[in-house]
Amino acid sequence: MIKKIRKINDLYQEAQFLQDKKLGHNLIQIFAGDKKGTPKEKNHLNLLKKYFGREFYCEVIYILTHKLIPDKEQAEKMYASICEHKKALNKRLKRNVGIEVAALDYMKNVESVLDTPEIIEREKLIDLATKAIIDENTGVYDRAALFTNLKNDIQRSKRYKRPLSLLFCDIDDFKKINDSLGHKTGDKVLK
């Protein structure tokens, strides 16, 4: 059960990260030299690198493999090793294998930190991650996503020494709306 909760929490974090920062495979391919990239994409990549600092490599590893490496130095070294592994694979296979394939092979077969990786198309992953954190009836974050976001927001508030406010509202006797007008109407009221 705990493993299942961790996986769901990972999906929350992935979906939130994708919505907030717009760092995805396309930018990582540009960063790795697999794609040229537009000036706008390169500028966005530079802004993200500046925003994250050395944590940028933790994010890159996570997006490539969905493996969280929280130690900045370890993640940076791992990314450098993945790039070296990519060069070796390119030379052996006489073609560009891409950063994703190099990362997967390195993490699975060289470092053995991925036990049973699965390949899923990016669009399907984003859809799955979004469904995992959004209540389909109301279109708002569910309780678990709220608390994950709140934890991150509190940390960010402390890091930047900025105030943080949280407002909870309650609708008295909301059950009466659902009972008398139905759950669809209740969902509309919540929206």
Side-chain angles (χ1 to χ4, degrees):
M1 181 66 171
I2 290 175
K3 203 172 195 180
K4 186 176 181 180
I5 290 170
R6 282 191 187 129
K7 286 182 181 183
I8 290 170
N9 192 37
D10 288 347
L11 286 175
Y12 292 144
Q13 300 248 351
E14 171 80 2
Q16 184 63 43
F17 181 79
L18 291 170
Q19 285 182 335
D20 287 351
K21 307 298 181 282
K22 307 291 187 245
L23 177 61
H25 284 273
N26 187 48
L27 288 178
I28 291 172
Q29 289 169 341
I30 294 166
F31 181 64
D34 290 341
K35 284 185 173 181
K36 188 174 180 181
T38 66
K40 186 178 179 180
E41 289 171 322
K42 289 178 183 178
N43 183 52
H44 186 67
L45 183 60
N46 286 331
L47 289 172
L48 288 171
K49 285 169 46 181
K50 199 178 288 185
Y51 172 80
F52 283 115
R54 292 184 72 198
E55 286 180 21
F56 180 76
Y57 295 97
C58 300
E59 303 299 341
V60 169
I61 297 292
Y62 182 76
I63 288 174
L64 287 171
T65 65
H66 302 287
K67 181 74 173 175
L68 184 61
I69 309 293
D71 182 86
K72 299 173 218 174
E73 289 179 28
Q74 182 186 4
E76 190 171 359
K77 287 177 186 175
M78 189 172 283
Y79 181 77
S81 296
I82 289 170
C83 289
E84 287 301 314
H85 187 65
K86 178 179 171 261
K87 286 179 189 174
L89 288 172
N90 289 348
K91 188 175 180 180
R92 242 182 253 145
L93 297 173
K94 297 181 177 144
R95 64 179 174 83
N96 184 10
V97 297
I99 193 68
E100 294 95 340
V101 171
L104 178 64
D105 186 62
Y106 181 81
M107 299 287 276
K108 169 73 175 149
N109 299 317
V110 177
E111 286 292 319
S112 301
V113 292
L114 295 177
D115 296 327
T116 54
E118 292 185 31
I119 298 173
I120 183 171
E121 289 183 59
R122 188 81 180 145
E123 292 78 24
K124 289 180 181 174
L125 176 64
I126 291 169
D127 184 49
L128 178 64
T130 302
K131 285 179 180 175
I133 65 169
I134 302 291
D135 177 74
E136 67 180 89
N137 293 326
T138 61
V140 298
Y141 288 121
D142 68 7
R143 184 173 189 256
L146 168 72
F147 286 108
T148 298
N149 291 336
L150 184 59
K151 179 182 172 191
N152 293 338
D153 288 340
I154 290 169
Q155 289 173 348
R156 188 178 304 117
S157 174
K158 287 178 182 177
R159 184 170 57 242
Y160 295 113
K161 296 179 173 74
R162 299 238 169 116
L164 175 69
S165 299
L166 178 65
L167 174 68
F168 279 98
C169 297
D170 182 38
I171 301 173
D172 290 334
D173 301 317
F174 186 74
K175 185 175 179 339
K176 289 180 184 176
I177 294 171
N178 281 335
D179 291 347
S180 62
L181 302 172
H183 288 279
K184 285 187 180 186
T185 303
D187 289 343
K188 286 181 184 177
V189 170
L190 287 175
K191 284 181 189 179

